[in-house]
Amino acid sequence: MKTSLPNIVGALSLGLGLTLLVGCSSQQPAASSSAGTVVPPVFTESGTVGTVQRTAPAPRSTAAPAAPAPKPAAAPAPAAVPAGDGLRKGSAAFPTGNPQSSAVLVEYLLPTEVIVGEPFDMIYRISNLTDGTLRDVIWTSDMPENFRADQATPEPDRAEGGVALWNLGEFAPKQSKEIRIRGVARQEGTITGCGSVTYVPVVCDTIRVVRAAMELVKTMPGDVILCDPIPVRLVVKNTGSSALTGVRVVDDLPEGLLADGRRTVAFDAGTLRPGESKEFTFNATAARTGKFNNVAKATSAQGISAEDAKAVTVRQPLLEIACSAPDERFAGRPIEVCYTVKNTGDAPLANAKVDVVVPAGISFRGASAGGTLSGNIVTWPLGTLAPNATKEVCLTLVGEVVGTYSFSGTAAGTCAKPVTTACSTKVSGIPAILLEVIDIEDPIEVGKTETYRIEVTNQGSAPDTNIRIVCELEDAQEFVSGTGPTAVTAVGRQITMAPLASLAPKDKAVWQVVVRALKPANVRFKTTMTSDQLTRPVEETESTNQY
């Protein structure tokens, strides 16, 4: 458990002011400073734990300098802690004091001078100088009274009795870890701190352990129909970590199944490296329906084996088809014809389809479920129909000519006997009367005549009978004359056309009524039409401006 900063406030320090304590060892390593002074270390007898103390520079000696000792061969070391303006850097190597022969290097970066109450940072970098792993690396720092720590990254694992301890755990070869402490000086003077490091060197070696294993996966359909081949796929894989040699796959087919006239199928896979697989395929055929259990086995020269079993059921499909259509539709109206296909057998029906012939006199307008028209045949590909499964397809037709039409449909599929059905619809006619009234001239002068054209059109598909036209005049107009397919008479302000007995589909009848303008007005010439087929009158009003 980490110790929170409030528990170490006033307790963390290392080497500030005139005295700097950084690492210790009984072999007395030298600590260097980026400020240019060489500080003689002071050591304690504590194994890999030492204390290095940095003091103010001593007076220079006037004696001649001794000849320099030969430099040891350079050893790779972690990147040094950088120093900048107003900062000083130092280091100590444990346990020998020499980075070339030590296991741990401790570097520090501190300000040369701080102001009471102003926050500053102290950085310590602990590095593994070796090519091996160090475990249980612990950095311990005593804590002077003249320093108050406000923040530490990471936080110490323990802070008590004037000492803070960081358990830095395991260090990989050449790995470095950093401790950063921020705090303030309590009062004018110096801040002096000591630190020590302990570690456990580890020697490791590895023995590779391998495993011999293989896997065989057999894939085949669970259900087939009698006339189809049975595709078999065998995949043998080395799932271990050592090579397998002499790998062989054998599939002994049960009675009733054959592959190229044989019941035993064998394949040589040879050598399989770890993770490598090889695939083999063949087609079997069934001589009869029923369920067949099939076991395949793979072996190797190492005595490793694997097997996989699959079962296949051989079935046969049977078809039924039914048709539905409306008994009667009016000409020009859509006729929806539907077919229901069912597989009543015990095997899936592959490549199922429905074909419907569109009879002459009928127009194709569309089909559901992907049905398409080619020539006069609409076809639906249904894919595979499972046993007892049904599918419905529909098409939309239009009969333009009155009559009765039969719609024949056939269902078919792989290994199934085609079946055919038919249904019929009577196409009847229906009248649809359009009434149009227009004035030939508009506007007209008072005393002049206006001609109204009354046009009746049968837009339907059946005759309309007993068509009657009645017109009404306002008092600003008077009847003059009328012509048309039937007699036109007027009584008062009502004009009546004699009934038209019948109007064939697409035919039209036209009447003309002549009236005289009696006075200025914006009049309305109202026309009403009825027939045997109309359930309510049709009215049309034409506006004429008289001046």
Side-chain angles (χ1 to χ4, degrees), residues 168-531:
L168 302 177
E170 183 174 294
F171 277 57
K174 309 301 181 184
Q175 183 181 3
S176 298
K177 296 184 181 181
E178 189 175 276
I179 299 173
R180 184 181 295 265
I181 303 170
R182 172 167 291 186
V184 298
R186 296 178 182 275
Q187 60 186 11
E188 184 178 4
T190 61
I191 298 174
T192 302
C194 295
S196 63
V197 65
T198 63
Y199 57 90
V200 176
V202 179
V203 177
C204 302
D205 203 351
T206 302
I207 298 175
R208 185 168 179 262
V209 179
V210 298
R211 177 177 62 91
M214 73 164 59
E215 174 187 70
L216 178 64
V217 177
K218 180 173 186 175
T219 305
M220 61 190 301
D223 289 280
V224 297
I225 59 176
L226 187 61
C227 60
D228 276 353
I230 305 170
V232 181
R233 178 173 175 262
L234 300 170
V235 179
V236 59
K237 182 178 181 180
N238 183 347
T239 57
S241 51
S242 66
L244 298 176
T245 60
V247 178
R248 183 175 172 81
V249 180
V250 177
D251 195 341
D252 289 320
L253 299 174
E255 188 276 328
L257 295 184
L258 293 175
D260 294 329
R262 297 173 290 122
R263 285 188 55 192
T264 299
V265 183
F267 304 96
D268 289 319
T271 300
L272 290 179
R273 298 184 299 274
E276 184 182 7
S277 63
K278 289 186 179 179
E279 177 181 315
F280 306 97
T281 60
F282 65 92
N283 285 329
T285 56
R288 56 178 174 82
T289 61
K291 186 174 183 178
F292 300 89
N293 294 308
N294 188 202
V295 180
K297 186 173 183 179
T299 59
S300 71
Q302 288 71 29
I304 301 300
S305 65
E307 64 179 38
D308 193 14
K310 290 293 184 292
V312 57
T313 301
V314 180
R315 308 177 189 272
Q316 279 188 307
L318 295 172
L319 274 173
E320 284 185 355
I321 186 170
C323 174
S324 65
D327 292 334
E328 184 179 8
R329 279 289 183 268
F330 288 112
R333 307 305 299 168
I335 304 170
E336 186 177 62
V337 184
C338 295
Y339 297 84
T340 301
V341 181
K342 182 176 183 180
N343 179 4
T344 59
D346 62 351
L349 175 67
N351 302 314
K353 69 171 186 173
V354 173
D355 292 329
V356 174
V357 177
V358 179
I362 296 293
S363 299
F364 172 77
R365 296 299 174 88
S368 68
T372 57
L373 176 68
S374 177
N376 68 330
I377 297 177
V378 181
T379 300
W380 290 266
L382 303 181
T384 299
L385 268 182
N388 295 315
T390 61
K391 283 193 177 180
E392 183 182 68
V393 296
C394 297
L395 72 162
T396 302
L397 307 170
V398 172
E400 302 292 348
V401 181
V402 173
T404 299
Y405 297 90
S406 179
F407 311 108
S408 177
T410 300
T414 302
C415 286
K417 182 181 178 180
V419 292
T420 300
T421 188
C423 51
S424 60
T425 297
K426 178 183 177 182
V427 176
S428 302
I430 183 172
I433 299 299
L434 172 67
L435 173 63
E436 294 178 288
V437 180
I438 60 172
D439 50 3
I440 303 302
E441 296 181 10
D442 189 8
I444 64 169
E445 187 178 352
V446 172
K448 302 293 185 179
T449 60
E450 174 68 274
T451 300
Y452 290 97
R453 178 183 174 89
I454 302 168
E455 188 173 292
V456 177
T457 304
N458 185 351
Q459 301 178 106
S461 56
D464 202 336
T465 59
N466 197 23
I467 300 170
R468 297 173 299 277
I469 303 294
V470 176
C471 305
E472 294 182 12
L473 296 178
E474 293 184 0
D475 59 4
Q477 293 179 330
E478 66 178 1
F479 175 75
V480 176
S481 65
T483 60
T486 63
V488 180
T489 60
V491 176
R493 299 196 179 280
Q494 187 176 77
I495 303 168
T496 303
M497 287 70 168
L500 181 65
S502 178
L503 187 63
K506 313 307 177 188
D507 281 355
K508 66 174 59 178
V510 178
W511 289 267
Q512 287 190 343
V513 175
V514 179
V515 300
R516 180 176 286 106
L518 301 178
K519 59 182 178 180
N522 185 257
V523 298
R524 299 294 183 269
F525 183 80
K526 180 180 179 182
T527 303
T528 302
M529 178 181 67
T530 60
S531 75

Side-chain angles (χ1 to χ4, degrees), residues 88-115:
R88 61 186 177 185
K89 180 179 73 172
S91 64
F94 295 84
T96 69
N98 186 343
Q100 281 77 25
S101 58
S102 291
V104 176
L105 178 68
V106 178
E107 301 170 278
Y108 59 85
L109 186 63
L110 307 172
T112 57
E113 185 177 82
V114 298
I115 298 175

